[in-house]
Amino acid sequence: MKGITANSTIQAFLDTGIEKIPTLIYSLIFFFIGLAIAKICKRIVSNILEKYTSGKGITNFIVYGVYISIIVVVVLNSLDMIGIKTTSVVTIVGAAGFSIGLAFKELLSNLASGFIILFFKPFDIGDYIQASDTNVEGTVSDIQIFSTILKTPDNKTIIIPNFQITSNNIINYTHQNIRRIDFSFNVDYDTNIGVLKNIVQEIFEEDKRVLTDPKPLIGINSMGNKSMEFISKPWVKTEDYWDAYYELMEKIKEKFDENGIVLPQVNVVVKGK
């Protein structure tokens, strides 16, 4: 009797499996068609957003959001076709949600910070920023959901969790169209200030990158025991900052040497990149 019962059970299982084969095939076909549709929709949405939006970070977020949403719908419907109730799956995921939230608190914090960066846009791809808490700086090469990727001037890649960026001050050096270069020189007391100012003023007037509005600030900033601090602060377009900085520094040094201006100590104040 036991042998007959076991054989009957196996036979029933095989019969059920054979009956389910067409449904399983249909489910797989539906899944792969849905996967292809998801990829097509991803490409279409990406092309549309690239035409009408300027932020690559938010574009990537929307594109992958649409793609993942379609995949989830396809998977749930595929499971439903083979008899696995999607309501049970959703219930299990919902019940586990609280435990998952506690286990991945930091991950969720980075996700929330990713939303802040993408929608409030304290910086965008291509900006040069400094995260004050980590003291890390570089050009933003990508903004992802959980992290931001920076490229340093010496071509290093730095991946920073989004929460570390948004939880502290962010210095964005390239957000504005123009920037000021701050030069500071210590000169002897017997230096002719009029000559000094004329030299720097002529250099700034000859360089087309130096803006006339705002007007460059030139003059004595302070007087110490042995020397005076002479400052010159021209404004330039943000994209010209570093080229102008190095070339103006060289020109000032050459003109000072030609006019016999002594620099006992040179302090160059540089803020940002």
Side-chain angles (χ1 to χ4, degrees), residues 92-108:
I92 294 172
V93 173
F98 181 73
S99 300
I100 294 173
L102 292 177
F104 296 96
K105 180 180 178 181
E106 185 174 347
L107 188 66
L108 295 175

Side-chain angles (χ1 to χ4, degrees), residues 152-214:
T152 63
D154 56 349
N155 209 31
K156 294 176 183 175
T157 298
I158 303 176
I159 302 173
I160 309 176
N162 286 331
F163 180 72
Q164 291 187 15
I165 296 178
T166 58
S167 60
N168 291 277
N169 296 332
I170 303 171
I171 303 175
N172 189 334
Y173 292 110
T174 53
H175 184 71
Q176 302 295 331
N177 293 327
I178 61 174
R179 290 187 60 192
R180 192 182 70 187
I181 304 175
D182 290 356
F183 294 122
S184 174
F185 308 96
N186 287 336
V187 296
D188 289 336
Y189 271 104
D190 58 357
T191 302
N192 189 318
I193 301 302
V195 173
L196 193 63
K197 293 178 68 174
N198 288 336
I199 290 173
V200 175
Q201 186 65 48
E202 287 178 7
I203 293 173
F204 290 167
E205 289 175 353
E206 291 173 358
D207 197 307
K208 301 300 181 183
R209 292 166 302 190
V210 176
L211 304 177
T212 56
D213 185 21

Side-chain angles (χ1 to χ4, degrees), residues 127-265:
D127 287 344
Y128 193 100
I129 69 168
Q130 178 181 345
S132 60
D133 182 48
T134 58
N135 199 30
V136 170
E137 58 184 59
T139 301
V140 180
S141 61
D142 197 9
I143 302 172
Q144 300 179 352
I145 298 299
F146 300 108
S147 61
T148 296
I149 301 176
L150 304 182
K151 183 178 289 186
T152 63
D154 56 349
N155 209 31
K156 294 176 183 175
T157 298
I158 303 176
I159 302 173
I160 309 176
N162 286 331
F163 180 72
Q164 291 187 15
I165 296 178
T166 58
S167 60
N168 291 277
N169 296 332
I170 303 171
I171 303 175
N172 189 334
Y173 292 110
T174 53
H175 184 71
Q176 302 295 331
N177 293 327
I178 61 174
R179 290 187 60 192
R180 192 182 70 187
I181 304 175
D182 290 356
F183 294 122
S184 174
F185 308 96
N186 287 336
V187 296
D188 289 336
Y189 271 104
D190 58 357
T191 302
N192 189 318
I193 301 302
V195 173
L196 193 63
K197 293 178 68 174
N198 288 336
I199 290 173
V200 175
Q201 186 65 48
E202 287 178 7
I203 293 173
F204 290 167
E205 289 175 353
E206 291 173 358
D207 197 307
K208 301 300 181 183
R209 292 166 302 190
V210 176
L211 304 177
T212 56
D213 185 21
K215 184 179 179 181
L217 179 62
I218 304 172
I220 297 297
N221 187 53
S222 63
M223 293 184 289
N225 293 330
K226 297 181 179 179
S227 62
M228 299 179 292
E229 182 188 14
F230 177 79
I231 58 171
S232 53
K233 300 183 178 184
W235 289 85
V236 296
K237 291 182 179 180
T238 299
E239 60 267 25
D240 294 333
Y241 183 90
W242 279 111
D243 289 338
Y245 162 72
Y246 288 117
E247 292 179 22
L248 288 172
M249 173 65 75
E250 291 178 5
K251 290 178 181 178
I252 291 172
K253 177 61 170 65
E254 290 174 359
K255 290 294 184 180
F256 281 6
D257 290 343
E258 291 176 7
N259 289 271
I261 297 174
V262 180
L263 301 176
Q265 181 181 354

Side-chain angles (χ1 to χ4, degrees), residues 84-97:
I84 299 176
K85 299 299 180 183
T86 56
T87 53
S88 301
V89 175
V90 173
T91 301
I92 294 172
V93 173

